[in-house]
């Protein structure tokens, strides 16, 4: 009696897997018709999100972000540099997004992935457009010394919606960032005051203590897939490869639209679809803001 | 709330358009598109045999190479290449020539604002000149929101502060490609879409007139 059941269950499971592999688009559309996705999510729901601050102890600020399986690690290094002539009162942010071969089967060692410079440019544009950071706050001595922040963002697991996770990781690490203490030495140059030298305090510090950056409106993003009449929020890598029209909406905490990014794709976006994407993103901004506040308050307790 | 523009245009006025095709002899299709001082030259080669890695051999693939006027290819050029590639893939009928690659080379001659829409228009005209089968034609426009909240079309380099580039189709007026810079409210974005659609309609008439003239006078070179 038990044997036919076992073989029957096994054969039906094999049929589902074969159907998924041979006809992926039809497999997904069968789920979409029931308003559900193959991983059990409703169409408008994002995956489980977690933020861990302070993952890299040697960096001035760091954050590890997971959205579903997508994992992004960001570390910030601060360096004193001479500001440019065009903006002598401002510091600088340099954002780099890396996709090492560990993150995806299609990334090969040596040559950088095609998506890396595109996400880097998107991140730089988004953070500068939102005016989240006042670059004048990074200035030390006008025309002579200013902070340069290097944000290195590494994708450890690329399972879709890379830009969303990368932006959240960059924002979280900037909220965790502690600007180190610097002092003017006898030659008039700015040098870092390490914590060992802190006891001596022969030199006068330029800024008195470690301090945090003031973040103004914080941008958050949500990527959606448009497919026929459906809108799927926060796609996985499989969904992204099967359905090709992606729309990324970035809103900040004051409700301003920072970016609406739709790079082609077979489905045309009409005004109603854009309004739906913006509504989903507004909801997501509230969620992510509470996650970030929770992570920061947990850091305060430690 | 009418703002004066430095070159005397009204907010809804485009810069003068200049379009010519079949200007390169070795290319299968070529087109030059200028809006004011911004000028882009596009060339199309192909379909050529073979596909690159990670491409689908059951479909024709499109490769876009963006050449800036000065300097090396950086992240901005890579982003423009990706946007153009996705846009052109969505208007081409890719099942007709499987396992082939079509190269589109975009050369920036001068950049005085609204560069990406100019490149999209030039690339579409070059594809038409090459005889590549297309589902529809895409036209692109750039809108800018000034500090006073006024929306202007086709900004110059000085006017480009918060810009939005919309590529849409004349047939259905849906949005194919959208790129924004700067911050604006969602309502401003939707207003930009409406202004962009109206401007794309007039652009589409311009393209239809010129390409219609070209197609009756000369046979396609790619045939």
């Amino acid at each position: 009696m038990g044997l036919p059941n076992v073989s029957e269950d096994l054969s039906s499971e094999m049929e589902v897997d074969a159907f998924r592999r041979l006809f992926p688009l039809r497999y997904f559309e069968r789920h979409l018709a029931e308003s559900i996705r193959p991983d059990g999510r409703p169409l408008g729901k994002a995956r489980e999100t977690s933020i861990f601050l302070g993952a890299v102890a040697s960096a001035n600020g760091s954050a590890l972000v997971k959205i579903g399986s997508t994992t992004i690690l960001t570390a910030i290094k601060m360096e004193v540099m001479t500001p440019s002539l065009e903006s002598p009162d401002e510091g600088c942010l340099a954002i780099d997004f890396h996709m090492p071969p560990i993150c995806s089967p299609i990334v090969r060692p040596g040559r950088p992935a095609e998506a890396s410079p595109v996400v880097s440019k998107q991140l730089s544009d988004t953070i500068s457009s939102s005016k989240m950071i006042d670059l004048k706050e990074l200035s030390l001595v006008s025309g002579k010394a200013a902070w340069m922040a290097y944000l290195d963002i590494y994708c450890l697991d690329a399972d879709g919606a890379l830009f969303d996770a990368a932006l959240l990781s960059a924002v979280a690490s900037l909220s965790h960032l502690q600007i180190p203490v610097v002092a003017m030495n006898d030659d008039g140059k700015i040098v870092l005051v390490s914590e060992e030298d802190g006891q001596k305090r022969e030199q006068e510090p330029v800024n008195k203590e470690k301090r945090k950056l003031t973040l103004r409106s914080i941008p958050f993003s949500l990527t959606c897939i448009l497919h026929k009449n459906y809108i799927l929020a926060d796609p996985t890598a499989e969904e992204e490869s099967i359905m090709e029209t992606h729309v990324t909406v970035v809103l900040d905490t004051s409700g301003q639209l920072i970016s609406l990014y739709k790079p082609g794709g077979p489905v045309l976006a009409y005004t109603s679809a854009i309004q739906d994407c913006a509504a989903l993103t507004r909801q997501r901004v509230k969620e992510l803001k509470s996650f970030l506040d929770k992570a920061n308050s947990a850091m305060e307790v430690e | 709330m009418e703002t004066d523009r430095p070159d005397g245009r009204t907010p809804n006025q485009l810069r003068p358009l200049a379009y010519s095709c079949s200007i390169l002899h070795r290319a299968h299709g070529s087109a030059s598109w200028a809006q004011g001082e911004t000028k882009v030259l596009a060339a199309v080669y192909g379909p050529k045999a073979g596909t690159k890695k990670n491409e689908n051999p059951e479909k024709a693939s499109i490769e876009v190479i963006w050449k800036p006027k000065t300097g090396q290819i950086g992240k901005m050029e890579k982003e423009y290449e990706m946007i153009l590639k996705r846009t052109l893939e969505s208007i081409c009928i890719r099942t007709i020539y499987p396992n082939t690659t079509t190269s589109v080379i975009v050369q920036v001659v001068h950049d005085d604002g609204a560069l990406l829409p100019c490149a999209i228009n030039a690339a579409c005209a070059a594809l038409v000149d090459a005889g590549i089968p297309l589902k529809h034609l895409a036209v692109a426009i750039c809108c800018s929101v000034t500090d006073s909240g006024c929306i202007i079309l086709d900004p110059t380099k000085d006017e480009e502060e918060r810009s939005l580039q919309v590529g849409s189709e004349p047939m259905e007026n849906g949005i194919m490609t959208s790129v924004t810079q700067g911050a604006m409210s969602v309502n401003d974005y939707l207003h930009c879409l409406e202004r962009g659609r109206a401007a794309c309609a007039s652009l589409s008439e311009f393209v239809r007139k010129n390409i219609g003239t070209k197609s009756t006078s000369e046979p396609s070179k790619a045939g």
Side-chain angles (χ1 to χ4, degrees):
Chain A
M1 182 68 70
L3 199 56
N5 282 339
V6 169
S7 63
E8 188 177 334
D9 289 347
L10 186 61
S11 68
S12 66
E13 190 174 317
M14 285 175 60
E15 282 169 12
V16 171
D17 281 346
F19 184 55
R20 178 177 194 157
R21 191 164 291 257
L22 290 173
F23 306 104
L25 186 55
R26 273 208 260 152
Y27 177 79
F28 273 86
E29 285 178 353
R30 287 277 294 270
H31 286 82
L32 291 183
E34 306 288 331
S35 291
I36 203 169
R37 292 202 251 184
D39 54 6
R41 279 189 286 154
L43 297 193
K45 193 169 185 290
R47 291 169 286 177
E48 198 77 28
T49 305
S50 66
I51 301 172
F52 179 60
L53 299 179
V56 180
S58 60
N60 299 111
S62 58
L64 180 74
V65 162
K66 280 178 71 81
I67 298 184
S69 294
T70 302
T71 308
I72 305 278
L73 176 67
T74 298
I76 304 180
K77 292 292 182 65
M78 304 295 286
E79 207 174 81
V80 179
M81 61 141 198
T82 306
S84 60
L85 293 179
E86 292 89 29
S87 49
D89 291 336
E90 292 181 356
C92 200
L93 284 181
I95 300 175
D96 246 323
F97 182 78
H98 304 271
M99 289 179 73
I102 198 173
C103 74
S104 177
I106 59 176
V107 179
R108 303 289 300 159
R111 201 176 323 112
E114 281 182 358
S116 282
V118 178
V119 178
S120 282
K121 178 73 163 47
Q122 268 185 278
L123 283 168
S124 298
D125 285 349
T126 299
I127 290 179
S128 64
S129 292
S130 67
K131 297 182 169 43
M132 177 177 67
I133 292 170
D134 187 5
L135 294 179
K136 290 181 174 12
E137 204 179 331
L138 297 174
S139 176
L140 291 166
V141 181
S142 176
K144 289 182 178 175
W147 284 114
M148 175 108 179
Y150 294 98
L151 275 92
D152 288 308
I153 304 173
Y154 286 88
C155 180
L156 306 181
D157 196 344
D159 192 29
L162 298 187
F163 175 76
D164 298 355
L167 180 64
L168 181 59
S169 185
V171 161
S173 63
L174 284 164
S175 71
H176 177 251
L177 173 67
Q178 304 227 24
I179 300 180
V181 181
V182 291
M184 184 105 55
N185 66 1
D186 298 334
D187 301 334
K189 290 182 180 176
I190 304 290
V191 294
L192 288 180
V193 176
S194 59
E195 294 181 359
E196 305 159 13
D197 297 346
Q199 300 175 6
K200 305 174 183 177
R201 287 295 170 114
E202 298 170 5
Q203 302 124 348
E204 182 184 340
V206 174
N207 53 323
K208 300 300 177 183
E209 57 186 8
K210 284 191 175 183
R211 62 183 171 89
K212 291 212 163 195
L213 272 182
T214 307
L215 302 183
R216 297 188 277 199
S217 291
I218 301 176
F220 296 105
S221 73
L222 181 69
T223 298
C224 301
I225 277 183
L226 307 183
H227 183 71
K228 294 181 176 170
N229 289 325
Y230 302 102
I231 297 176
L232 287 76
D234 192 29
T236 61
E238 188 179 6
E239 289 164 350
E240 273 182 355
S241 63
I242 291 166
M243 296 169 276
E244 292 169 348
T245 307
H246 312 141
V247 178
T248 301
V249 181
V250 184
L251 298 176
D252 64 10
T253 45
S254 63
Q256 288 262 89
L257 179 78
I258 303 299
S259 172
L260 198 142
Y261 189 74
K262 180 185 183 296
V267 177
L268 303 178
Y270 297 101
T271 305
S272 59
I274 288 173
Q275 279 163 338
D276 291 343
C277 290
L280 284 173
T281 309
R282 270 188 211 103
Q283 189 179 316
R284 182 68 171 158
V285 166
K286 289 187 192 114
E287 284 176 32
L288 294 178
K289 184 72 165 61
S290 66
F291 283 149
L292 190 60
D293 290 342
K294 238 180 276 181
N296 274 311
S297 56
M299 285 297 299
E300 302 286 341
V301 170
E302 291 177 15
Chain B
M1 199 171 60
E2 202 83 354
T3 48
D4 268 339
R5 300 176 78 171
D7 49 7
R9 285 186 282 149
T10 61
N12 282 340
Q13 195 177 345
L14 304 183
R15 288 176 289 181
L17 304 170
Y19 160 80
S20 55
C21 58
S22 300
I23 51 185
L24 301 178
H25 295 293
R26 296 297 305 271
H28 299 142
S30 59
S32 161
W33 185 281
Q35 288 176 217
E37 291 296 311
T38 303
K39 185 170 182 180
V40 173
L41 179 60
V44 171
Y45 296 85
K48 301 175 286 185
T51 50
K52 292 188 157 29
K53 238 190 325 185
N54 293 334
E55 293 283 350
N56 189 352
E58 293 180 9
K59 294 180 175 180
S61 73
I62 293 181
E63 171 196 40
V64 175
I65 298 166
W66 181 287
K67 290 291 185 183
K69 180 188 170 190
T70 55
Q72 301 288 324
I73 291 180
K75 286 175 187 158
M76 188 179 80
E77 283 79 20
K78 284 288 181 192
E79 191 194 20
Y80 283 168
E81 277 180 9
M82 199 273 296
I83 292 169
L84 256 178
K85 177 174 141 76
R86 300 264 197 99
T87 304
L88 300 181
E89 275 173 358
S90 58
I91 66 170
C92 287
I93 306 174
R94 300 170 64 201
T95 52
I96 288 187
Y97 301 118
N99 203 18
T100 61
T101 299
T102 300
S103 292
V104 180
I105 292 98
V106 175
Q107 171 69 61
V108 178
V109 178
H110 190 67
D111 179 10
D112 190 31
L115 181 61
L116 181 61
C118 204
I120 290 174
N121 295 329
C124 291
L127 287 175
V128 169
D129 191 45
I132 305 293
L134 305 175
K135 288 182 243 174
H136 2 251
L137 212 53
V139 285
I141 194 65
C142 188
C143 302
S144 203
V145 183
T146 61
D147 279 332
S148 53
C150 184
I151 295 169
I152 56 177
L153 285 180
D154 200 16
T156 58
K157 195 80 162 178
D158 296 330
E159 290 168 334
E160 258 183 355
E161 178 205 314
R162 296 189 266 174
S163 66
L164 154 74
Q165 288 144 42
V166 174
S168 68
E169 299 190 37
M171 182 164 54
E172 300 176 51
N173 284 330
I175 296 156
M176 205 180 302
T177 300
S178 163
V179 184
T180 65
Q181 285 174 9
M184 67 188 92
S185 68
V186 178
N187 284 334
D188 274 348
Y189 178 80
L190 298 176
H191 289 155
C192 284
L193 287 191
E194 290 170 21
R195 299 278 272 272
R197 281 201 188 98
C200 284
S202 64
L203 264 177
S204 169
E205 283 305 312
F206 175 86
V207 171
R208 200 184 309 273
K209 194 190 316 171
N210 283 269
I211 290 183
T213 305
K214 161 29 185 164
S215 66
T216 49
S217 61
E218 293 179 47
S220 170
K221 204 182 295 184

